[in-house]
Amino acid sequence: VTNADEVASASGPVRPTSGASVVHRPIDGLGARLTGGLLGDWQQRNRSASIPLALRQLEAAGNLANLRLAISGVGGTYRGPVFMDSDIYKTLEAISWEQGREPSEELAEFAAQTTALLRAAQLADGYLNSYKQVTGNPHFEKLESSHELYCAGHLIQAAVAADRSCEGAALLGVATRFADLLVSRFLGTKGGLDGHPIVETALVELYRQTGTAEYLQLARQFVDQRGYGLIGDSGFGIRYLQDHLPVRDSPTEVGHAVRALYLESGVTDVAVETGDAALLATSVTRWDDMVATKTALTGGNGSRHSGEAFGDGYELPPDRAYNETCAAIASFHWSWRMLLATGLGQYADLMERILYNGFAASTATDGQRFFYVNPLQRRVDHFEDDDPGRRREWFSCACCPPNIMRLVSSLGHYVATTSGDSLYVHLLTGSQITGEVRGRKFSLDVSTDYPWSGSAELTVRSCPETECGLAIRVPGWSRLVTVTLNGEPITAHSGDDGYLVIRRQWRPGDVVAATLDLRPRLTFPNRRIDALRGTAAIERGPLVYCFEPADQAAGVDVEDLALGSDAPAERTAELAGIGKTVIIDAQAVHLPAQDPPYSENLAPGPDGSATAVAIPYFQWDNRDGRAMRVWMPYEATKP
Ligand SMILES: [Zn+2]
């Protein structure tokens, strides 16, 4: 038995204060340590391949050069978009979470050198922004498009991460000096708002880390001032900036998806730290609407390339979908806060859908190429100015890659929480989890090959000496869950909140084995989603599947297949360019050629049977870069 003193102090993103109105609390210390499986593999790949790439690119693309120019004042040639500093901050945040997991001298060296550059570039009043300092443009002007507070927000998040997970006092000093300037410049005024949210959630996190109440007050002010025309027009209209309606009156997500979803993290953080149930309720309303009418099967958001924006309700075209990687990350961050605030498993369900699909597809198998745009269909002749259809190593607007890195580095923090006297497991993955329940350590080893396998073993390593609960999330798609305790079947029902809770006096060595139903299933769209009418998709567990030409039988064109109604079959495989996977063979029919685009006659029916072969969506575009589709025509009857 160990006591609470041995549980490390707070680390990880999103640490509600002891007074916050939350149902769940993140577990302390490192969160869960990922020990293997898909998420653990992604975390290793992120560290060994993706982060080194970011360090090279921050030099090659000019981000660090901009910072060096800023140290010597106005002059020189600034490179890239106005928010180049934010890529540095996101990378520093990723490094901080990595240092918390497993310190590396090389990463520590980069963080120390870059922090020294930031300290040198910071002005006496606390201001720091390489674009404004190199170009000499006035500070805090054109906030609708200058991204000054957006960059400040990412600086603050990086500093909070550094302070929570490693030696971060220097970076925290830079961030608090800038935050203090923001307080003196904006608190209690109508002095403007940033066109791109994130400073709201960042200021709440800085309040959590430092206890300085003004940071929370300023975050609340920024949330409450939105929607009153204080931002101005960046040229994309006020809906793009979520300035069309006060947050408390807004029923649905509109405009630039990343902006809208980052704002929601701030809204939720402000609501729980100020006990503002009415504000939280507006976030709940928009989340429900977003999931019901504006979210792709992959968890992606943003139906329009124009404005990288949410579309109308049910406007969810698979081919034109934008689904920016950053929007997936922002939605994941928002749902985590909603999960903490409410304790409802539906939020973890969406996080998992995003994680294994819309988010995971962003990164190539080698961890060195990334998608910015994540559609659900690509035709073989695809071309789009802002989306060549293949992953790339970096982007002129490189918001996504370092954003991916900071999330993957922090994934362990999203695995489990505590609530009351129970430990909750939200993401089943190979991990070691240590939470604090009733003032005592409650530790588990989770062993599983999820999501390839639906079985998981949770072994208790240490536990309180009184009865307490162990809760496992039962995803909405799992029709059947079997559970054993030390080999004996037990009857356990999941509650309305989506969790199956086992209460007992636990003993070290107790083993809970749970099996989720991963049988492949056909999924059909709501009839109001016109772009998908008459189609079906295949899912297996949390994974959405897709069809690429490379997997089909010789002579079979994906575009001439329709899925049939028979249950799909699965087989494990090792594919060149992809590695380990589970392939699905779906019963299908072949559709005959139909040359005229329009005709007086209904399309002819199928002329033969076929098999359509699917792979997980997140593994697409790792081979020949040809066509891909998630949704297929559906023909209920065989020929
Ligand atoms: Zn992005």
Side-chain angles (χ1 to χ4, degrees):
V1 178
T2 51
N3 65 45
D5 295 343
E6 292 183 28
V7 178
S9 59
S11 71
V14 194
R15 312 298 311 191
T17 60
S18 58
S21 302
V22 292
V23 175
H24 281 244
R25 292 197 171 269
I27 58 178
D28 285 335
L30 290 168
R33 180 172 284 277
L34 303 183
T35 53
L38 206 47
L39 300 188
D41 290 349
W42 290 346
Q43 203 166 58
Q44 288 305 322
R45 178 184 74 187
N46 187 53
R47 185 182 178 107
S48 64
S50 303
I51 290 176
L53 169 71
L55 302 192
R56 289 197 301 275
Q57 283 292 352
L58 290 176
E59 203 59 76
N63 308 66
L64 292 166
N66 288 338
L67 209 50
R68 293 188 194 105
L69 281 178
I71 293 170
S72 40
V74 178
T77 305
Y78 178 89
R79 291 169 61 192
V82 297
F83 43 82
M84 288 284 273
D85 291 352
S86 64
D87 300 336
I88 298 173
Y89 299 142
K90 283 186 247 187
T91 306
L92 285 175
E93 184 184 334
I95 288 173
S96 289
W97 303 134
E98 287 299 321
Q99 292 295 81
R101 288 198 308 115
E102 190 186 333
S104 131
E105 276 185 31
E106 194 188 341
L107 293 180
E109 179 69 19
F110 177 86
Q113 285 179 1
T114 307
T115 300
L117 282 180
L118 292 166
R119 291 181 70 171
Q122 186 167 37
L123 300 178
D125 67 353
Y127 188 84
L128 178 56
N129 182 287
S130 71
Y131 172 73
K132 290 286 177 97
Q133 291 172 237
V134 171
T135 60
N137 289 325
H139 302 174
F140 302 124
E141 277 199 9
K142 299 192 175 167
L143 286 176
E144 68 274 12
S145 57
S146 72
H147 291 72
E148 284 161 280
L149 305 194
Y150 167 82
C151 288
H154 278 298
L155 165 63
I156 291 168
Q157 288 184 326
V160 168
D163 199 45
R164 284 181 185 163
S165 60
C166 49
E167 296 292 316
L171 193 56
L172 191 69
V174 174
T176 52
R177 283 192 289 280
F178 201 172
D180 291 342
L181 174 64
L182 298 182
V183 166
S184 67
R185 177 76 162 69
F186 293 99
L187 186 60
T189 77
K190 291 184 177 177
L193 289 164
D194 200 283
H196 200 314
I198 205 160
V199 75
E200 299 82 359
T201 183
L203 283 167
V204 177
E205 281 279 90
L206 191 60
Y207 156 71
R208 289 167 171 160
Q209 196 66 8
T210 62
T212 306
E214 286 82 3
Y215 302 150
L216 176 62
Q217 291 163 10
L218 185 58
R220 182 177 194 166
Q221 175 184 307
F222 284 150
V223 166
D224 279 335
Q225 285 184 335
R226 219 168 182 90
Y228 292 93
L230 293 173
I231 305 181
D233 186 346
S234 62
F236 293 93
I238 56 174
R239 285 166 65 90
Y240 175 84
L241 304 169
Q242 295 79 43
D243 199 26
H244 62 302
L245 275 177
V247 168
R248 291 168 192 272
D249 300 334
S250 173
T252 186
E253 300 300 349
V254 305
H256 188 265
V258 180
R259 282 173 166 79
L261 295 170
Y262 278 162
L263 177 61
E264 292 288 7
S265 278
V267 169
T268 310
D269 282 339
V270 166
V272 301
E273 291 297 345
T274 61
D276 192 337
L279 181 61
L280 182 67
T282 70
S283 217
V284 169
T285 298
R286 288 186 296 275
W287 190 94
D288 289 346
D289 175 75
M290 179 184 82
V291 170
T293 74
K294 297 187 177 182
T295 301
L297 187 64
T298 54
N301 294 115
S303 301
R304 299 179 183 177
H305 282 245
S306 175
E308 305 180 318
F310 280 101
D312 301 337
Y314 301 106
E315 179 191 345
L316 291 164
D319 48 356
R320 300 293 305 149
Y322 197 69
N323 295 347
E324 182 179 340
T325 300
C326 287
I329 294 164
S331 179
F332 185 95
H333 284 159
W334 177 26
S335 275
W336 174 247
R337 288 161 171 82
M338 296 295 276
L339 173 63
L340 297 180
T342 67
L344 298 180
Q346 63 181 4
Y347 298 109
D349 278 10
L350 181 62
M351 289 169 66
E352 186 178 64
R353 178 170 294 280
I354 293 166
L355 183 59
Y356 284 112
N357 301 289
F359 173 73
S362 68
T363 307
T365 306
D366 65 6
Q368 305 222 41
R369 286 168 296 128
F370 309 96
F371 274 134
Y372 190 118
V373 178
N374 296 276
L376 282 75
Q377 177 177 3
R378 184 181 64 200
R379 293 186 183 79
V380 73
D381 59 342
H382 176 82
F383 177 79
E384 178 81 40
D385 254 349
D386 63 354
D387 170 29
R390 303 297 309 270
R391 293 186 188 86
R392 284 184 282 179
E393 188 175 289
W394 212 248
F395 303 83
S396 56
C397 167
C399 51
C400 300
N403 216 2
I404 293 166
M405 294 167 206
R406 70 179 182 139
L407 177 56
V408 176
S409 289
S410 61
L411 274 181
H413 299 289
Y414 300 99
V415 169
T417 59
T418 57
S419 182
D421 64 0
S422 296
L423 178 67
Y424 280 72
V425 179
H426 306 289
L427 297 176
L428 274 186
T429 192
S431 52
Q432 294 171 333
I433 302 170
T434 301
E436 188 185 315
V437 168
R438 290 184 176 269
R440 298 282 177 175
K441 260 169 79 170
F442 194 171
S443 302
L444 300 175
D445 284 353
V446 181
S447 169
T448 178
D449 200 21
Y450 187 85
W452 303 127
S453 153
S455 302
E457 270 193 10
L458 294 78
T459 304
V460 175
R461 289 300 172 211
S462 63
C463 49
E465 292 165 327
T466 50
E467 180 182 297
C468 58
L470 171 59
I472 302 169
R473 182 175 60 91
V474 180
W477 44 257
S478 183
R479 289 158 287 193
L480 174 79
V481 188
T482 57
V483 186
T484 64
L485 173 63
N486 299 328
E488 299 294 321
I490 58 170
T491 309
H493 298 285
S494 57
D496 293 340
D497 61 359
Y499 293 86
L500 187 154
V501 187
I502 306 168
R503 298 191 59 82
R504 70 192 304 260
Q505 164 65 64
W506 295 95
R507 312 233 176 268
D510 280 347
V511 178
V512 172
T515 303
L516 301 177
D517 179 4
L518 297 194
R519 277 176 295 177
R521 59 193 191 273
L522 286 168
T523 300
F524 302 99
N526 184 295
R527 65 181 166 78
R528 293 191 183 191
I529 307 173
D530 299 80
L532 300 179
R533 194 170 295 134
T535 66
I538 288 179
E539 295 180 273
R540 176 182 179 275
L543 301 178
V544 173
Y545 272 68
C546 72
F547 298 85
E548 286 194 297
D551 303 302
Q552 312 310 318
V556 174
D557 188 333
V558 174
E559 300 300 331
D560 294 331
L561 294 176
L563 295 179
S565 51
D566 287 2
E570 65 180 58
R571 57 190 158 100
T572 57
E574 189 86 22
L575 295 180
I578 287 178
K580 180 178 178 176
T581 192
V582 172
I583 287 176
I584 291 178
D585 295 314
Q587 180 248 322
V589 291
H590 185 264
L591 302 171
Q594 188 191 6
D595 289 329
Y598 312 104
S599 166
E600 291 179 12
N601 303 314
L602 279 172
D607 62 2
S609 61
T611 299
V613 181
I615 63 164
Y617 170 76
F618 83 83
Q619 293 177 320
W620 86 281
D621 193 42
N622 280 296
R623 293 172 294 183
D624 56 17
R626 291 159 68 201
M628 180 280 292
R629 58 188 303 157
V630 168
W631 295 98
M632 299 283 279
Y634 177 69
E635 292 273 349
T637 52
K638 294 186 204 179

